[in-house]
């Protein structure tokens, strides 16, 4: 069974540009979660999508947005990139009931220069 | 607001030692608790998942306990090996609405080094 896959693995962008990160959940999982892991700041919750709808978002500005497609894959968009957006972005998926926990992908390393 | 604390922040032990990592959380109304391992620059690997109704879970050399009423969990690693060196993260899923709905709250992690 394929795990949670994220692309690209690495992404280098210039300040002010836009970045798009992609996530494919485990087959059968309908919920997708996005987390940011910046150096020294731990894992911060960004967004939760379930059945195509945004269910909750963390304390991040509106330039962090995303969506979930009918096949439950998801993308995270970060507009007007700032240097402090440089981080490892992790995607996780789960069943709606969440009783089997969350499975994480390997992440996308975003570097803003 | 759920807060998760992990102690110690770092731990260095010789190979073969048994060790305990600690996790505490402020809101006992949790759905479940999950322990993860993270290697440098990599994603998270799930180690153990404990539902709120359970007291412990075991997988190989790992054993995790949960005391929901006191807001504590421990991860016990038996006969540690150099390959166990990684950051260990504890995360809780709060069984509540509002801003905590659906999100895992993570501790800052324990950096474990097992030297030969």
């Amino acid at each position: 069974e394929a795990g949670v896959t994220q692309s690209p693995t690495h992404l280098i962008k210039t300040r002010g540009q836009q970045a798009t990160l992609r996530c494919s959940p485990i087959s059968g999982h309908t919920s997708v979660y996005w987390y940011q892991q910046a150096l020294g700041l731990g894992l911060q919750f960004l967004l939760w999508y379930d059945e195509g709808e945004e269910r909750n978002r963390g304390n991040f500005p509106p330039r962090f947005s995303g969506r979930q497609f009918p096949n439950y894959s998801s993308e995270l968009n970060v507009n007007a990139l700032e240097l402090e957006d440089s981080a490892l972005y992790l995607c996780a998926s789960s069943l709606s009931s969440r009783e089997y926990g969350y499975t994480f992908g390997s992440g996308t390393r975003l570097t803003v220069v | 607001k759920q807060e998760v604390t992990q102690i110690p922040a770092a731990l260095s032990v010789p190979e073969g030692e048994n060790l305990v990592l600690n996790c505490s959380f402020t809101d006992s109304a949790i759905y479940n608790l999950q322990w993860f391992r993270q290697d440098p620059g990599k994603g998270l690997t799930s180690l153990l998942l404990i539902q709120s109704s359970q007291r412990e879970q075991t997988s190989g050399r790992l054993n995790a306990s949960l005391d929901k009423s006191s807001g504590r969990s421990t991860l016990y690693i038996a006969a540690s090996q150099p390959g166990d060196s990684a950051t260990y993260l504890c995360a809780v899923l709060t069984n509540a609405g509002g801003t905590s709905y659906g999100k895992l709250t993570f501790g800052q992690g324990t950096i474990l080094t097992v030297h030969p």
Side-chain angles (χ1 to χ4, degrees), chain A residues 33 35 37 40-45 48 55-57 88 90 97-107 109, chain B residues 31-32 34 36 38 41-46 49 51 89 93-94 98-108:
Chain A
Y33 313 83
Y35 283 80
Q37 189 176 35
L41 291 181
L43 278 144
Q44 304 295 319
F45 170 74
W48 169 29
R55 302 297 186 185
N56 199 0
R57 68 177 289 132
L88 180 66
L90 292 166
S97 64
R98 304 193 293 278
E99 65 185 89
Y100 295 106
Y102 291 29
T103 303
F104 280 79
S106 298
R109 171 72 63 185
Chain B
Y31 195 84
N32 56 44
Q34 210 166 347
F36 294 91
Q38 185 176 32
K42 305 295 185 183
L44 274 60
T45 300
S46 180
L49 170 70
Q51 304 296 343
L89 293 155
L93 182 62
T94 306
T99 58
S100 295
Y101 184 47
K103 72 175 189 182
L104 280 177
T105 303
F106 284 86
Q108 291 291 79

Side-chain angles (χ1 to χ4, degrees), chain B residues 2-3 12 22 27 30 38 50 56 84 87 95 103:
Chain B
Q2 180 73 267
E3 294 182 358
S12 181
N22 296 290
D27 186 347
I30 64 168
Q38 185 176 32
I50 309 177
E56 66 176 335
D84 295 332
T87 297
N95 188 17
K103 72 175 189 182

Side-chain angles (χ1 to χ4, degrees), chain B residues 13-27:
Chain B
V13 300
E15 181 176 6
E17 271 204 10
N18 302 324
L19 52 98
V20 174
L21 308 182
N22 296 290
C23 171
S24 62
F25 46 94
T26 55
D27 186 347

Side-chain angles (χ1 to χ4, degrees), chain A:
Chain A
E1 177 187 87
V4 177
T5 57
Q6 293 187 244
S7 62
T9 305
H10 295 87
L11 190 57
I12 300 175
K13 292 286 186 178
T14 303
R15 189 171 51 184
Q17 285 188 317
Q18 178 195 44
T20 298
L21 289 64
R22 296 180 176 83
C23 173
S24 292
I26 289 174
S27 177
H29 286 191
T30 60
S31 281
V32 171
Y33 313 83
W34 288 94
Y35 283 80
Q36 181 195 66
Q37 189 176 35
L39 196 62
L41 291 181
L43 278 144
Q44 304 295 319
F45 170 74
L46 265 167
L47 289 159
W48 169 29
Y49 292 97
D50 183 58
E51 298 284 358
E53 301 286 331
E54 182 182 298
R55 302 297 186 185
N56 199 0
R57 68 177 289 132
N59 188 25
F60 281 84
R63 58 190 185 84
F64 286 84
S65 65
R67 54 180 170 167
Q68 186 178 34
F69 299 98
N71 66 354
Y72 304 115
S73 67
S74 175
E75 67 179 29
L76 173 69
N77 295 294
V78 188
N79 294 319
L81 285 165
E82 301 178 0
L83 297 178
E84 52 265 36
D85 296 334
S86 295
L88 180 66
Y89 289 83
L90 292 166
C91 171
S93 73
S94 76
L95 295 168
S96 285
S97 64
R98 304 193 293 278
E99 65 185 89
Y100 295 106
Y102 291 29
T103 303
F104 280 79
S106 298
T108 293
R109 171 72 63 185
L110 173 64
T111 302
V112 183
V113 299

